[in-house]
Amino acid sequence: MMFSSSLLSSSLRFRASSLVFPAAVGAFLLLAGCAGEERPTAAEFTAAAEETLIEHYYDGSRAAWVQSTYINEDTTALAARFGAEGLTRAVDFAQEAATYDAASEADEVARKLNLLRGGLTLAAPADEAKIEELSQIATRMEAAYGSGKHCPDGPDTSTCRSLGDLEDVIDNSRDADALLDAWEGWRTISPPMRADYQRFVELSNEGAQALGFADTGAMWRSKYDMPPDDFAAEVDRLWDQVKPLYDDLQCHVRAELSDHHGADVVDPAGPIPAHVLGNMWAQSWSNVYDLVAPPAAAPGYDLTGILRSRGASEVEMVRMAEGFFTSLGMESLPDTFWTRSQFVKPQDREVVCHASAWQLDLDEDVRIKMCIDINAEDFSTIHHELGHSYYQLGYRDRVPLFRDSANDGFHEALGDTIALSVTPGYLVDIGLLDEEPSADADLGLLMRMALDKVAFLPFGLLIDRWRWAVFSGEVPPEEYNAAWWRLREQYQGVGAPSERTEEHFDPGAKYHVPGNTPYTRYFLAHILQFQLHRDLCEAIGYEGPLNRCSIYGNEEAGRRLSEMMAMGLSRPWPDALEAATGSREMDATAILDYFAPLAEWLKEQNEGRACGWS
Ligand code: X8Z
Ligand code: ZN
């Protein structure tokens, strides 16, 4: 449930999206009746499958929740057990669904058949032992990530550092040696996952192939209401729209970091080494803002400082974010959200700190799981997670198979769209800021935002470029790590800071790989959130610069978003996009509009610099 839950697709662990909810192997036989009876119609089959899936859903997601918030041998074994049962059910229904001809059915039934067959994030061969093995691998990899620590002096010694400890260094230190030490340290947790991952690829591909897909990657690409190859081309089209802006940002950031650290650490003509970008994965760069900011930009405001000086607590930050959603006319979060969520990292046990949002019953039992730090980044992540919660609540009246977003990019985009409206003007409205900074501050504010959002784009793309190639066999196990770094360089212009070999398994140090969460959704979300922001601002009659627009308190904007969310997965995604924006196509020009003043400034800065990397 990385973000949610959905009856299917989610993985074993019922995460993110999808109702996969499988019924025990053979459960379908009950639906089908005894020998001699007629086979159910497609409508009867899909309705019965939904009923079975939903019946078992809550138990499985509770087991997954407990494992993620209390990692030990017992919870891992229980989660794996429930995962295997869920997977068995899902595979069983998927295979049965594949025997119907979706094209000859009415729209809604056809959609359900396709979801049952292709909605899984993880498929498995219909073989009890293999399902068990796959479920154990998946559960073990996630637990290994969640409890991973760098222990230079041996396991369980006092010098062990958790991901959070190592991120403190990467996010804040300016010392290249300390940065490298933390960067390499975190990557000691993933080599032990390599063999598991290789087997995971084999088994999940076997499952996808049994359902008629070329491999697991092809199954993932089949969920976008278009042929899988067209989807890959669509992603390329969107990337081509924004790549020139990214390249200019990379060029400027590289030059400034090279000035700061010296050309021996940051080669002014090569890829930027991954340890100096202020983020463990070099996926967003706002922590190096001070080093690359426009010198003349007026100071904006320091939200982290404000939150801390006001003594804001974790739960108060969540309350503030909820206030944004209710200002749009949406309901308050249920009481159980507040009593069952995890906001603060527990001190007495291991948990998966990576933020996520869950809908355990596919109804009102929505929760988020975070280890909140009092800072601006986590304030933004809280909005991201509540976006998932509100989406989940928004579609809860749909039939179970349609309780998911229009495509997974929409689920990821909703909360970020709201966070784009957390403008200085909004902060004044809610009393966090005394007065709005003047327009001179905009270049700096845009730079901070670009370091977060524009820097992310190629990263959002390349994780699944790597996995698609791994699943298809184009990248064999003996090239896992080399292929990873080739893609990092090609798309991001970011390189390894020290020698990496096939002894390492650097993809495993990014949550979504051991967590088996598809990642192209975040690339789509980064495009969609700007499109939603621009088009909603336009719809409510806003005319100024896009970075100063806030939809706070605007019920028309809320109505459009609610309409999109309430559709769930019942219609193809262009219908949902149209409900909110009036447009049926994803369009990256909104991101270009938003950053236009910064793009111009970057061009001036880069004059005379040799941009690009080879
Ligand atoms: O994983 C997340 C969310 C949960 S769905 C916190 N994100 C990606 C990441 O952290 O890598 C949000 C942005 C990208
Ligand atoms: Zn998310």
Side-chain angles (χ1 to χ4, degrees):
M1 301 194 174
M2 196 58 221
F3 61 77
S4 58
S5 59
S6 313
L7 199 46
L8 290 184
S9 64
S10 59
S11 57
L12 310 178
R13 276 133 302 124
F14 307 89
R15 44 183 69 174
S17 62
S18 287
L19 170 68
V20 173
F21 245 85
V25 170
F28 182 67
L29 298 179
L30 297 172
L31 310 170
C34 305
E37 279 182 29
E38 278 189 18
R39 166 179 153 96
T41 64
E44 286 164 350
F45 161 68
T46 53
E50 270 183 323
E51 203 174 307
T52 307
L53 292 176
I54 199 85
E55 188 188 322
H56 293 270
Y57 195 73
Y58 214 164
D59 287 344
S61 48
R62 280 180 156 142
W65 173 267
V66 174
Q67 190 226 2
S68 286
T69 55
Y70 198 148
I71 306 175
N72 64 25
E73 294 75 16
D74 301 323
T75 58
T76 302
L78 290 169
R81 161 73 62 83
F82 277 96
E85 285 177 16
L87 194 53
T88 303
R89 236 174 271 128
V91 166
D92 191 35
F93 285 133
Q95 295 193 337
E96 192 65 30
T99 66
Y100 287 88
D101 175 22
S104 66
E105 299 294 335
D107 268 7
E108 179 170 324
V109 174
R111 232 176 137 66
K112 287 187 184 178
L113 284 172
N114 288 333
L115 277 170
L116 283 169
R117 182 178 81 97
L120 305 176
T121 299
L122 178 60
D127 169 319
E128 215 178 307
K130 286 181 174 173
I131 288 182
E132 187 71 25
E133 184 186 358
L134 184 54
S135 179
Q136 280 178 9
I137 290 176
T139 311
R140 185 162 65 224
M141 287 195 301
E142 175 153 30
Y145 185 95
S147 53
K149 284 190 175 51
H150 176 224
C151 295
D153 303 315
D156 299 323
T157 48
S158 61
T159 49
C160 288
R161 288 186 295 174
S162 68
L163 175 57
D165 299 332
L166 297 164
E167 281 189 281
D168 281 345
V169 177
I170 296 277
D171 293 358
N172 301 307
S173 171
R174 301 289 189 229
D175 178 278
D177 293 334
L179 290 169
L180 185 58
D181 178 61
W183 188 93
E184 289 180 338
W186 178 240
R187 283 156 184 78
T188 59
I189 66 130
S190 49
M193 292 173 193
R194 179 186 264 267
D196 266 351
Y197 197 74
Q198 184 178 338
R199 183 70 180 142
F200 177 86
V201 169
E202 286 165 13
L203 290 171
S204 71
N205 273 343
E206 225 185 283
Q209 283 151 6
L211 298 174
F213 297 98
D215 58 67
T216 300
M219 185 172 81
W220 289 5
R221 292 190 299 277
S222 76
K223 298 172 209 269
Y224 297 91
D225 299 300
M226 61 174 86
D229 289 350
D230 292 9
F231 176 66
E234 176 68 355
V235 171
D236 282 339
R237 178 184 73 82
L238 295 166
W239 170 235
D240 286 343
Q241 283 186 288
V242 292
K243 185 176 185 313
L245 174 61
Y246 176 78
D247 287 351
D248 285 342
L249 181 68
Q250 195 271 2
C251 187
H252 171 71
V253 167
R254 178 179 62 187
E256 298 298 328
L257 291 178
S258 185
D259 279 355
H260 178 81
H261 289 288
D264 54 330
V265 176
V266 180
D267 173 357
I272 306 173
H275 63 315
V276 296
L277 284 159
N279 175 277
M280 184 56 88
W281 305 275
Q283 67 183 63
S284 68
W285 306 344
S286 46
N287 287 323
V288 297
Y289 173 78
D290 295 345
L291 299 180
V292 306
Y301 57 92
D302 167 21
L303 185 52
T304 298
I306 295 169
L307 290 166
R308 289 183 185 164
S309 70
R310 304 256 168 148
S313 68
E314 294 83 357
V315 65
E316 279 162 1
M317 286 165 69
V318 184
R319 282 280 180 205
M320 285 184 232
E322 180 197 34
F324 200 122
F325 288 85
T326 54
S327 88
L328 299 174
M330 298 176 195
E331 61 198 320
S332 298
L333 291 163
D335 290 345
T336 50
F337 170 87
W338 300 99
T339 53
R340 296 175 188 175
S341 288
Q342 175 196 296
F343 300 136
V344 181
K345 182 175 180 176
Q347 290 306 306
D348 59 345
R349 57 185 198 258
E350 303 293 349
V351 301
V352 180
C353 271
H354 191 89
S356 56
W358 302 50
Q359 185 181 27
L360 283 87
D361 57 350
L362 277 190
D363 194 353
E364 288 202 346
D365 188 353
V366 296
R367 313 176 192 177
I368 64 171
K369 176 181 64 60
M370 288 185 67
C371 301
I372 298 176
D373 285 328
I374 313 292
N375 61 35
E377 185 180 336
D378 278 10
F379 193 53
S380 175
T381 302
I382 291 167
H383 289 79
H384 176 95
E385 297 307 331
L386 287 200
H388 289 312
S389 306
Y390 273 97
Y391 218 137
Q392 290 158 348
L393 293 170
Y395 54 58
R396 71 180 183 277
D397 292 334
R398 292 280 163 195
V399 296
L401 276 166
F402 295 157
R403 289 180 206 166
D404 201 349
S405 54
N407 71 38
D408 54 6
F410 284 74
H411 228 305
E412 297 303 337
L414 204 267
D416 285 9
T417 303
I418 301 300
L420 287 178
S421 278
V422 175
T423 55
Y426 164 71
L427 294 174
V428 172
D429 279 349
I430 64 166
L432 275 184
L433 203 60
D434 294 332
E435 63 181 322
E436 274 195 67
S438 74
D440 315 349
D442 276 16
L443 205 53
L445 295 174
L446 284 173
M447 174 62 95
R448 198 185 286 277
M449 191 65 102
L451 291 170
D452 184 9
K453 305 288 185 181
V454 177
F456 180 82
L457 292 162
F459 185 81
L461 197 71
L462 75 86
I463 306 279
D464 282 352
R465 293 276 153 182
W466 180 80
R467 273 190 295 204
W468 293 351
V470 164
F471 284 128
S472 76
E474 186 189 327
V475 168
E478 58 276 15
E479 287 174 28
Y480 277 174
N481 219 43
W484 174 259
W485 285 106
R486 272 201 302 276
L487 288 163
R488 293 271 264 171
E489 287 200 15
Q490 179 190 335
Y491 283 101
Q492 286 187 288
V494 165
S498 56
E499 196 194 346
R500 309 306 284 171
T501 69
E502 296 303 326
E503 299 286 301
H504 301 117
F505 182 53
D506 295 326
K510 174 66 195 163
Y511 171 75
H512 302 69
V513 174
N516 195 40
T517 305
Y519 210 82
T520 309
R521 58 182 60 176
Y522 301 107
F523 173 79
L524 299 179
H526 276 64
I527 304 292
L528 284 168
Q529 62 190 258
F530 284 94
Q531 190 174 353
L532 286 162
H533 180 71
R534 178 185 66 185
D535 295 358
L536 289 171
C537 288
E538 207 173 283
I540 65 175
Y542 176 83
E543 284 176 351
L546 278 176
N547 64 308
R548 293 274 178 156
C549 168
S550 180
I551 61 170
Y552 179 63
N554 191 294
E555 297 213 351
E556 167 58 13
R559 191 195 59 72
R560 285 172 175 245
L561 290 174
S562 296
E563 193 184 325
M564 176 181 98
M565 296 191 292
M567 271 185 194
L569 185 52
S570 66
R571 306 284 316 146
W573 64 260
D575 290 6
L577 188 59
E578 192 171 21
T581 68
S583 158
R584 298 183 61 79
E585 293 206 351
M586 289 188 275
D587 176 11
T589 60
I591 210 168
L592 304 180
D593 292 349
Y594 188 100
F595 290 107
L598 179 74
E600 199 180 313
W601 182 84
L602 286 171
K603 284 248 178 282
E604 286 163 21
Q605 300 307 302
N606 289 333
E607 253 171 54
R609 288 173 177 158
C611 291
W613 58 90
S614 55

